[in-house]
Amino acid sequence: MSGEHGNASSKAMGLLKRAGRWQIWEFALWLVAIAAIFTLPSQMLILTEIAILALFAVSLDLILGYAGIVSLGHTAFFGLGAYAAGLFAIYVSGEPLIGLVAAALVSGLFGLLTSFLVLRGSDLTRLMTTFGVAMLLAEFVNQAAWLTGGADGLSGVMLNPILGYFEFDLWGRTGYIYCLIVLVVLTYIARRIVNSPFGLSLKAIKRNQRRASMLGISPTRRIVAVYTISAAYAGIAGALLTQTTSFVSPDVLAFHRSAEVLLVLVIGGVGYLYGGVFGAVIFSILRNWLSVITPQYWMFWIGLVLIIIVLVGRERLTRWQTLLPGAARNRQQANMQHTIAEESK
């Protein structure tokens, strides 16, 4: 029996290693993002916005797509990271990379402290709890004008050149390259996390928490861990927004940001990380295009797109994913992983 378990474990580890390898289309995606630096020089600010939104969506996908935690208050970590980076730049140091680390630590710690609120209850309970946390934080920021600037926002954020060499320019070129590098690095780390035994255990918890507990998996510790990591990611996204705009206002804690990032994942797909990236691109292009055509009613068309996705089914609209190189192999590996997990019980 032990031999069978060992064989199943070795097979599972082999599949995880193969699943963690980068596919050709992933390299192509990042090459296109790099090429945009030279082909779209006048769109740097929009591209920066897309990169930040993509990272924010990746952070939410870590808990929604892999742990099954639905949140309407993920903007709390985004906004907290934004303010942490701004305050750090004003009172401590203007070095952007150190500011990112500070924002990640503050948001991650807040995520750790609030993670216990999502351990119990149904999805509706989690929705309302996370939404309540975001509302409380937004009200605190609005009232603590002595620290945050209140409704007027936090101004006077001055940043040093990145690593002492690369200054932020008015055209946003440095800001986009900076955000893109951070997005690529954190996406790579997230891929390593979800394609590890830890990530596989998260999928087991999402599928059936009680069965996962019976198999010796601790749902509590893993949910707390991934929630903390997700909060740190969201905080870094918020910090990038502050650093590239040199300003932060209570808008970073507004409800529409949580709604937007959820919509991004609905459009791009949940549970494979790149849904946040593709969704951010599609959503941002739609929003900018529609706001030019119909400035007063662009939200109506975004809502219509959401209704179409719900009625038609996102699976039908995203069948293009099956055409990506390695998609068939990924499905086969997922089926084999499920079979191995069943055999090892």
Side-chain angles (χ1 to χ4, degrees):
M1 182 66 68
S2 60
E4 293 179 358
H5 281 283
N7 189 28
S9 299
S10 62
K11 287 182 179 179
M13 291 302 297
L15 289 172
L16 284 175
K17 289 182 180 180
R18 287 194 291 271
R21 294 173 184 169
W22 285 60
Q23 305 297 324
I24 296 177
W25 64 267
E26 294 180 82
F27 287 106
L29 172 65
W30 298 121
L31 286 176
V32 169
I34 294 172
I37 301 172
F38 309 98
T39 58
L40 299 172
S42 62
Q43 304 296 324
M44 291 293 101
L45 297 179
I46 296 177
L47 292 173
T48 302
E49 180 183 335
I50 292 175
I52 294 172
L53 181 58
L55 180 58
F56 190 23
V58 168
S59 73
L60 180 60
D61 199 21
L62 283 173
I63 59 173
L64 178 59
Y66 291 91
I69 300 174
V70 185
S71 174
L72 266 183
H74 211 57
T75 186
F77 310 119
F78 181 87
L80 188 61
Y83 273 99
L87 292 171
F88 186 87
I90 294 174
Y91 297 107
V92 183
S93 171
E95 171 56 43
L97 293 179
I98 300 178
L100 281 188
V101 174
L105 291 175
V106 172
S107 297
L109 178 60
F110 189 68
L112 175 63
L113 295 176
T114 57
S115 62
F116 301 97
L117 299 175
V118 300
L119 291 175
R120 299 178 181 178
S122 61
D123 288 342
L124 179 59
T125 304
R126 290 171 174 173
L127 280 173
M128 300 312 297
T129 301
T130 53
F131 180 51
V133 170
M135 289 181 64
L136 289 173
L137 189 58
E139 186 60 25
F140 170 79
V141 166
N142 190 44
Q143 295 298 326
W146 57 272
L147 178 66
T148 64
D152 295 329
L154 185 66
S155 57
V157 179
M158 302 296 293
L159 295 172
N160 300 332
I162 303 171
L163 299 176
Y165 296 100
F166 308 100
E167 293 187 5
F168 289 95
D169 55 280
L170 295 176
W171 299 273
R173 180 186 175 91
T174 301
Y176 171 63
I177 297 174
Y178 174 52
C179 292
L180 181 60
I181 292 174
V182 173
L183 174 62
V184 173
V185 171
L186 293 184
T187 301
Y188 171 76
I189 295 174
R191 288 184 81 263
R192 295 295 300 269
I193 292 174
V194 300
N195 290 306
S196 68
F198 174 76
L200 196 59
S201 66
L202 288 177
K203 295 178 182 179
I205 293 171
K206 178 184 177 182
R207 179 171 296 180
N208 192 314
Q209 188 166 329
R210 288 186 177 181
R211 180 178 293 183
S213 300
M214 293 174 63
L215 292 174
I217 298 173
S218 174
T220 299
R221 288 188 298 176
R222 283 165 173 77
I223 290 176
V224 169
V226 73
Y227 198 80
T228 302
I229 295 171
S230 173
Y233 267 53
I236 292 175
L240 289 175
L241 179 64
T242 298
Q243 292 178 347
T244 53
T245 60
S246 297
F247 178 75
V248 56
S249 70
D251 180 71
V252 295
L253 289 162
F255 170 73
H256 72 84
R257 290 196 179 270
S258 289
E260 279 184 2
V261 73
L262 276 174
L263 181 56
V264 164
L265 283 182
V266 170
I267 294 174
V270 180
Y272 74 109
L273 293 181
Y274 282 97
V277 179
F278 289 120
V281 173
I282 296 171
F283 175 80
S284 298
I285 292 175
L286 277 176
R287 179 176 59 184
N288 286 286
W289 178 58
L290 293 173
S291 61
V292 171
I293 297 177
T294 56
Q296 297 178 341
Y297 306 105
W298 67 270
M299 293 189 66
F300 166 81
W301 298 109
I302 293 291
L304 183 61
V305 170
L306 178 61
I307 293 174
I308 292 174
I309 292 174
V310 173
L311 293 179
V312 177
R314 192 189 59 79
E315 292 77 10
R316 295 182 181 180
L317 296 176
T318 56
R319 283 178 180 171
W320 56 269
Q321 296 172 12
T322 61
L323 303 177
L324 295 174
R329 184 173 60 187
N330 290 339
R331 290 196 302 271
Q332 183 181 6
Q333 290 176 355
N335 293 333
M336 292 180 66
Q337 287 177 6
H338 178 68
T339 302
I340 291 173
E342 292 293 333
E343 291 177 352
S344 61
K345 293 176 185 178

